[in-house]
Each structure stands twice: as structure tokens, then as C-alpha cells.
Amino acid sequence: MFILSKFTDLLHLPPPTFAHPTATALEDRINEKYANKVVHNIGLCISLYDLSKVSEGMIGQDGGAHVNVEFRMIVFRPFKGEVLTGRISSATAAGVKVRTDFFDEVFVPAAGLFEGSRFDGKEQVWIWHNDDQDFYMDKNEVIRFRVEGEVFVDQLPVPPHLKGEESSLHNKPPYAITASCQQAGLGLVSWWVEEEEDGEEGE
């Protein structure tokens, strides 16, 4: 689910940061710039892991220092086939939207749900019919899913003359995950709790 990614950047440290140790000032600047942000084709940066190399600072016209830094970030980028848990955010006829504690862009398309699933448009909920029973995928329920793919969208700055206009490109999240729930143990965690408990009692 998490990986370490190496970055190189030229960071600017304004004069007020000189009162702090250089490493502390750089760590704060890196987290401010990268933490909780998506880097294209890398993933969602969580926080700084460590500093690898720090150059001598070059003083600029504003009196601040420009420092070349190599560092590693903890990045959220699950691999294909990895099983994760989250909570259902919403549902449409197209599928189920899922969120984790820090990432909101997980989508399970209708084709990725169990066979026998149907969408109730009135209740806005997916229902899995199995063994003559209906299992509801209600909002905020804990769901276990399998990662099937990822999509990165390079969100370029919007030109001034286009600001305020609808843009399908800029309405898309910079990083999204597609998932499935088609194997035993996947879907709502509550569906399988009783079965798991019965198995433990039989051991």
C-alpha cells in the first residue's frame, strides 16, 4: 500500500527559517509542498521519510537560501491485486465510490461487483442477492476490495481565459483507483464476520 519514492528538488528557505536547524526547516518545507498531494505517475505523498543529500545554500536576492535536496517520501500507491478496506461513500448505477482514511478516489464499477448484484435507484444502494438473501451495500459500511488498476490525470494550470468554464479534464481527480469485489471475503466486511467466527469455533 505504501512505497518509498526518491525526489530531488530546489527548495527556497526564507530568512525567518534561519532561526531553525536547516534539517528542520527543510523538513517543514518539503511536507508543506508535498504532503497530501498527488505527484503524477508516482502517487499520493503522505509525509517525508528522510533527507538523503543537502547542498550548500545559495543566497538569493530576497536574502533567502536556495538549497538542492534529495529526499524520500512515504507514498500511497497500492499494487494491482492488493486487498484494502475502506468505507462506502456513495453509489450510483455505474458502481460504488469508496474512501479510506486519507484517500477518497476509489471506485468499484458495476462490472466489478458480485454476480447477482443490482442497483436500487430509489434507495441509491447496491444489493447482492445470494442464497435467497439480499445483502445491502449501505453508505458508510466497511468494505473490503481488490485493487484492479489506477488512473493518473495530469492537471495542467487553467488558462485565464478558460477559468470559470467547465472542463472535464479538470473535474477528474489527479489520481484514482479502480477496484473489484468479486471474490470470497470481499465486499462488506460484515458479510463474512459470522462465517469467519464459525470457522474459528470449528478449529
Side-chain angles (χ1 to χ4, degrees), residues 71-140:
F71 55 94
R72 291 187 295 175
M73 296 289 298
I74 299 172
V75 175
F76 172 71
R77 190 177 184 180
F79 57 84
K80 184 176 180 179
E82 187 170 2
V83 174
L84 305 175
T85 57
R87 288 186 181 273
I88 295 176
S89 298
S90 60
T92 66
V96 177
K97 185 82 175 288
V98 178
R99 70 181 188 278
T100 69
D101 290 338
F102 50 84
F103 188 71
D104 298 334
E105 301 299 336
V106 180
F107 185 68
V108 183
L113 298 172
F114 279 110
E115 184 177 351
S117 297
R118 61 181 175 83
F119 182 67
D120 186 324
K122 183 178 180 180
E123 298 294 333
Q124 293 293 293
V125 64
W126 276 91
I127 304 168
W128 176 37
H129 186 75
N130 184 54
D131 289 339
D132 296 324
Q133 296 185 65
D134 285 336
F135 297 89
Y136 286 75
M137 303 180 71
D138 292 319
K139 185 177 180 180
N140 294 323

Side-chain angles (χ1 to χ4, degrees), residues 32-47:
E32 177 187 348
K33 184 174 181 179
Y34 288 91
N36 202 32
K37 294 181 176 64
V38 171
V39 177
H40 190 65
N41 287 335
I42 292 179
L44 174 66
C45 293
I46 303 299
S47 65

